[in-house]
Amino acid sequence: MDKDVKNTILNMAETQLDEVLQMNGFKRRSNSLIYARKSKESTQKIEIMYFLHPSYYNNALAHIYPQLSVYYPDIQELAKKILGDTIITSGLKNQILRQPIQVYHDSKDWVLYNEKDNITIGENIKDFLVNYSIPLLNDINNIDGYLEAYWNDDKRIIKDDRQHVYFACACASKKDFNEGYEIVKKRFGKKGPRRQYAVLFAYFEDKLGLE
């Protein structure tokens, strides 16, 4: 039964999503629900995640909730150099940003009740990818775009503590230590967080020649 559900979702990906994602540079391996594309500065993925038989939807076969992720090797390398192996740098392997594609959006959940639903759901997901997810990924396909999302307070991406660490490291990778330090101070300036991220403060203060 569960294998049938996966096959239904795979069929949806093949018939509804493959073409538009391939047109935008994404590739998917056979029997995989992960689409990936690489550029000079990043690796981007869209993963068709699903939760089988969700208790919060009666009689549903699956709740489909795609996620996107972006990996900037230069930022990750610098973050590990500064912080070492921590939950932040090692918690999500090869992923700087990871979030549901519907985050901060009021679109309806994609719930599969029967095999025929995959056509409508696939069309809805495709439309969402074209109108929201792919434009976002295009905008942040390099480090400059990632930083622009921070400076412009882009509401399409999560900006938690982890992201602020990476925003600061992105600045450092561009040798913009003043801006990186400002990000660190603004987010972690209070006593508790400052202690937790002391190594990050020390890095920028050393680069700026501060005591």
Side-chain angles (χ1 to χ4, degrees), residues 75-85 89-90 166 169:
I75 298 178
Q76 180 74 359
E77 182 179 348
L78 182 56
K80 282 196 170 185
K81 181 179 177 181
I82 298 170
L83 298 171
D85 283 325
T89 59
S90 302
Y166 283 130
C169 290

Side-chain angles (χ1 to χ4, degrees), residues 11-26:
N11 179 261
M12 177 197 74
E14 181 179 349
T15 59
Q16 306 292 321
L17 306 180
D18 278 5
E19 183 177 3
V20 70
L21 286 168
Q22 287 170 5
M23 287 172 59
N24 285 277
F26 287 90

